[in-house]
Amino acid sequence: MKLDKGKTAACIAKTRAFYDTKATGCALIKVKTIGGMPSRALSLADYSFPDDMFRYLDDRAQCAIERLERRAALADDTVPAEGPWYGIAEHTAFLGGRVDYADNTSWHHAMLDSPEELYKLAMDEDHPVFRMVNGGIAYLREKYGEYFLPMVRGASGALEMANTLRGNDFFYDFYEEPEALKALLDYCADALIWNYEHQLAAAGDVYGGVVTGFGEWLPGRGLGHVSEDTTTMISTALFEEFGRPRTERVYRQFDGVFLHMHALSERCLESAASLPNLVLMELSSDPNTDRAVEVWKRNREKLTQVIPVLRLTREEIDANMELLKSQKTVVWYDASCMEDAQEMCARFARELPVR
């Protein structure tokens, strides 16, 4: 089934109106999974990269087409888009080094014995991982544009990139080699911008914006998602000194930003939410902490400049409907079945309309 251009245009117009409205009590609902309708899963371990890049992308595209066809009658706010995905290694492996692939993710091995070893890194358009991601975006756009919109991959923040490049010795660098670490973080920020600019060019204009990683559409030159997972393991003071200056510089290069953080980053949420050009903040739930919605509720008065993206259960939606009616929210929902998905979409349209 080919892309329903009218429905897609209406979905993006509603998303734009959602960002623009001053009204509260508005929400977008994105049904992420539907019980009884499992998507065909691909194993990265079944492919040899980069040699099997195009075979893998064709298989991934076919899975997306099948998924979108099964969801065709669903009236949620999901933008029909797809992009390449080879696991988490692609966020830093374009700079060089070894990558291992498993069934459902990949790892980029630490490649710097010291934060001073910047000479080991390179922003090289011919690197296989760079071509797999950026060339993959262009390939899917050109070959499958009649079926879904192009989606960029997104990025890790500078702190997270440095953590991957250094491994766990990164956490000693804050104290033992702070100036060298800052130089590495500056390099990572530059590399993030360089790589993401290529992603935008590969995807092209998508209804006046971009479909970011995790599928959220942003108008203009949107950046996202950007992961700040390292904030779960450092203090706010370290984030302010080492992370914020580089993150601010990155964010100012783009029109709007979709930030991915975790409930375990609670101490850093207020600082992160005050960064420039931030539009969306996804807060993921973590083991051994309160659910993301409870962390959001505790901190929401400090986070008024961002729109939360929250993955909620039916019970959490029921318990927090008054909260949803007091703000703007993007809700990710896992439905038990298609009937449940349709019922929840109808409820959101009725109780939390974009206006």
Side-chain angles (χ1 to χ4, degrees):
M1 180 182 293
K2 292 188 176 180
L3 185 70
D4 184 332
K5 294 183 179 179
K7 183 178 179 182
T8 301
C11 180
I12 291 178
K14 180 180 178 181
T15 305
R16 186 186 291 274
F18 171 77
Y19 293 141
D20 290 343
T21 185
K22 302 299 183 183
T24 56
C26 302
L28 299 179
I29 181 168
K30 317 289 184 81
V31 177
K32 290 296 185 179
T33 62
I34 303 173
M37 293 177 58
S39 298
R40 183 161 60 96
L42 301 178
S43 170
L44 293 170
D46 290 339
Y47 303 84
S48 178
F49 296 112
D51 294 343
D52 290 339
M53 165 185 168
F54 295 111
R55 180 170 71 89
Y56 169 72
L57 290 174
D58 287 335
D59 291 346
R60 185 170 177 83
Q62 188 57 45
C63 289
I65 291 167
E66 293 170 3
R67 182 180 69 251
L68 292 169
E69 186 170 358
R70 290 195 300 269
R71 296 168 56 102
L74 183 60
D76 75 336
D77 301 309
T78 299
V79 177
E82 188 56 276
W85 183 87
Y86 309 93
I88 60 174
E90 58 208 54
H91 287 318
T92 48
F94 66 90
L95 296 172
R98 174 185 161 192
V99 176
D100 286 342
Y101 296 90
D103 284 344
N104 59 1
T105 193
S106 59
W107 292 272
H108 183 206
H109 289 253
M111 57 182 292
L112 302 183
D113 295 321
S114 164
E116 297 179 326
E117 295 181 334
L118 298 183
Y119 62 87
K120 291 185 177 180
L121 307 174
M123 296 182 228
D124 179 8
E125 292 184 30
D126 289 328
H127 191 279
V129 174
F130 180 93
R131 296 200 310 270
M132 284 163 55
V133 174
N134 292 280
I137 294 169
Y139 177 79
L140 291 175
R141 173 193 178 192
E142 292 164 7
K143 186 171 181 178
Y144 296 100
E146 291 185 311
Y147 297 93
F148 48 74
L149 301 177
M151 181 192 297
V152 299
R153 176 63 177 98
S156 286
L159 282 168
E160 195 168 334
M161 292 175 71
N163 188 184
T164 300
L165 294 168
R166 284 283 289 129
N168 287 337
D169 286 345
F170 161 82
F171 295 101
Y172 295 105
D173 294 339
F174 288 107
Y175 304 98
E176 295 179 354
E177 300 188 72
E179 296 309 311
L181 177 57
K182 288 175 181 177
L184 173 59
L185 291 167
D186 286 337
Y187 183 96
C188 289
D190 290 341
L192 187 166
I193 295 169
W194 176 81
N195 189 32
Y196 194 78
E197 290 280 8
H198 282 82
Q199 292 186 39
L200 288 178
D205 178 83
V206 182
Y207 287 85
V210 58
V211 183
T212 63
F214 295 170
E216 298 301 323
W217 181 86
L218 287 176
R221 284 168 36 84
L223 170 63
H225 67 283
V226 183
S227 294
E228 286 289 355
D229 292 355
T230 304
T231 53
T232 63
M233 295 177 281
I234 63 173
S235 68
T236 304
L238 288 178
F239 177 72
E240 287 286 341
E241 180 180 354
F242 290 86
R244 172 180 282 278
R246 287 89 199 165
T247 306
E248 281 193 1
R249 178 160 59 83
V250 171
Y251 286 13
R252 291 189 190 281
Q253 302 299 311
F254 300 95
D255 297 327
V257 180
F258 168 28
L259 172 62
H260 161 76
M261 295 189 73
H262 284 256
L264 279 172
S265 297
E266 182 170 4
R267 61 190 170 277
C268 292
L269 293 181
E270 182 178 5
S271 177
S274 67
L275 288 161
N277 296 335
L278 195 58
V279 178
L280 300 173
M281 176 189 282
E282 186 232 336
L283 196 58
S284 294
S285 295
D286 295 294
N288 303 316
T289 190
D290 292 338
R291 291 278 297 173
V293 65
E294 299 304 320
V295 174
W296 172 264
K297 284 160 65 175
R298 279 202 298 269
N299 294 276
R300 63 185 295 247
E301 297 304 322
K302 308 171 187 175
L303 310 174
T304 56
Q305 301 304 308
V306 298
I307 300 170
V309 180
L310 299 170
R311 198 164 197 144
L312 302 179
T313 65
R314 172 177 282 274
E315 292 73 23
E316 287 172 332
I317 292 170
D318 290 341
N320 291 285
M321 184 54 69
E322 291 308 309
L323 170 70
L324 297 177
K325 289 182 177 180
S326 70
Q327 62 184 33
K328 295 198 295 186
T329 318
V330 176
V331 173
W332 292 353
Y333 183 63
D334 297 310
S336 60
C337 60
M338 178 58 83
E339 183 180 7
D340 176 35
Q342 294 281 31
E343 179 186 326
M344 190 59 71
C345 290
R347 181 180 181 186
F348 270 62
R350 184 175 62 250
E351 298 189 42
L352 298 163
V354 176
R355 58 195 188 281

